[in-house]
Amino acid sequence: MVRTPSCDKNGMKKGTWTPEEDKKLVDYVTTHGCWNWRQLPKHAGLSRCGKSCRLRWINYLRPNVRRGNFSQEEDELILNLHQSLGNRWSAIARQLPGRTDNEIKNHWHSSLKNRSTNIKSKASEGNNLKTGNRKKDKANEELDIDSLLENASQNILESTPILTSPMPSSSTISSLSHSDYSGINYKSFGVEDEACSTQLIEEKSGDFWTEPFLQDFEGNVHCTTDDFLMPFLELGILYPPSPIDDGENDWLYGLHMAQTNEVHL
DNA sequence: AACCAACACAACCGCTGCTTT
DNA sequence: TAAAGCAGCGGTTGTGTTGGT
């Protein structure tokens, strides 16, 4: 299932990630954010290319990545979305918080593709009015996608409680510039860094410090700050709020404690 | 028990489009 | 405005696992 580790001509390691590498990446991203994927491995002490780090983080290490079996609701949603969007995995993943485009793509190719083919063949049997491939101009296509995603989002919220994941999907993340989600990281952990502008998130989300929920950049409320941080707690990267401090710096205390202790994954 | 095919999934590759200079 | 750098995306590959014979 995993690739044999190897190195490319630049000495960059390839193949399976080791627990040590994972730890380094998680440590670095959670404390410094993803300010530049190309430079990140150098600073994090990893012999990996930035692309590989980014992929590893988004598809595997990022908090609240949902792993394991897809629910029936998720399967249905993927099938519906794929019928309309085609292989636009990132757009599909956007409607399944916690699922990554890569995971959905794999799931599609391994099990849903056949189901889809069956459905299509059945549909075509009873529908001779079907037209051929229509070429749409870009603007019309975008409109269709927007309305479709809007409907899909409604379905998700109404049908599956698990889909209220606090983290944006990989594609939500990927649609942000690096400075954008550096902002998320630093603000979320109560850590400021000059290199990472928090302006955008503040503009889009109102006053972060008085806002009890995390919002994505379309203004959709995903979770409370504590919900967002819980996965880090479970990983042992963060620690519970200090018993001696019931103030607003609880999670900062946790981060501080984490930085002074060994992180076990 | 051994073999083989199908499945599952992590990871790589290369292209595209956006942002910055 | 053009070029360079970068992140994101989708296609593809490689390999461990599982199930059937």
Side-chain angles (χ1 to χ4, degrees):
Chain A
M1 193 197 288
V2 291
R3 295 183 178 219
T4 316
S6 63
C7 293
D8 69 8
K9 57 193 171 197
N10 298 320
M12 290 294 181
K13 197 176 167 194
K14 292 165 75 172
T16 324
W17 278 70
T18 64
E20 289 77 23
E21 288 177 308
D22 284 345
K23 180 180 175 301
K24 280 182 183 178
L25 183 58
V26 169
D27 282 352
Y28 191 87
V29 173
T30 52
T31 54
H32 297 92
C34 335
W35 53 278
N36 183 324
W37 284 114
R38 286 227 174 161
Q39 300 297 318
L40 187 147
K42 196 166 60 187
H43 290 85
L46 290 162
S47 302
R48 295 274 182 175
C49 69
K51 247 182 176 181
S52 182
C53 293
R54 177 186 159 272
L55 211 67
R56 183 66 178 169
W57 172 257
I58 288 174
N59 288 333
Y60 205 85
L61 300 174
R62 182 168 57 88
N64 275 52
V65 169
R66 295 191 64 230
R67 311 203 63 77
N69 295 339
F70 281 73
S71 69
Q72 199 172 344
E73 283 92 349
E74 286 175 298
D75 282 351
E76 297 294 333
L77 187 62
I78 293 167
L79 283 165
N80 288 338
L81 288 169
H82 185 271
Q83 215 168 358
S84 307
L85 298 176
N87 296 353
R88 300 182 65 173
W89 306 115
S90 61
I92 294 171
R94 227 169 279 150
Q95 304 309 307
L96 290 140
R99 297 292 189 186
T100 67
D101 46 4
N102 205 35
E103 198 179 11
I104 291 171
K105 185 170 57 182
N106 282 334
H107 183 54
W108 170 263
H109 283 124
S110 60
S111 53
L112 294 181
K113 194 157 71 175
N114 293 337
R115 267 176 69 181
S116 170
T117 309
N118 292 340
I119 290 167
K120 275 182 184 169
S121 60
K122 279 185 183 174
S124 63
E125 281 171 17
N127 183 8
N128 295 327
L129 299 173
K130 204 76 182 165
T131 58
N133 287 339
R134 284 179 299 161
K135 285 193 175 177
K136 297 178 183 177
D137 62 52
K138 184 91 176 173
N140 285 337
E141 190 185 7
E142 291 300 328
L143 276 175
D144 288 347
I145 290 166
D146 285 344
S147 59
L148 200 143
L149 293 182
E150 200 173 318
N151 293 336
S153 297
Q154 297 256 322
N155 292 338
I156 292 167
L157 289 171
E158 285 165 9
S159 63
T160 75
I162 48 110
L163 292 173
T164 53
S165 162
M167 280 297 285
S169 69
S170 89
S171 305
T172 306
I173 285 182
S174 70
S175 68
L176 311 173
S177 71
H178 50 75
S179 60
D180 294 344
Y181 57 110
S182 294
I184 292 171
N185 283 317
Y186 288 116
K187 281 293 189 183
S188 299
F189 290 107
V191 177
E192 291 286 350
D193 188 309
E194 289 179 0
C196 302
S197 168
T198 57
Q199 188 182 352
L200 191 140
I201 193 169
E202 285 168 351
E203 283 173 2
K204 299 275 185 177
S205 309
D207 185 347
F208 180 93
W209 300 109
T210 58
E211 172 55 65
F213 299 103
L214 290 180
Q215 297 181 344
D216 65 22
F217 294 124
E218 286 142 12
N220 301 314
V221 174
H222 285 296
C223 66
T224 66
T225 309
D226 283 5
D227 286 341
F228 170 74
L229 292 166
M230 196 54 70
F232 290 100
L233 174 69
E234 287 165 3
L235 282 172
I237 293 162
L238 277 175
Y239 287 74
S242 162
I244 58 167
D245 182 2
D246 59 354
E248 63 189 42
N249 292 326
D250 288 350
W251 286 105
L252 181 58
Y253 168 84
L255 177 64
H256 171 72
M257 291 301 291
Q259 284 176 322
T260 58
N261 287 279
E262 173 114 10
V263 174
H264 300 284
L265 292 175

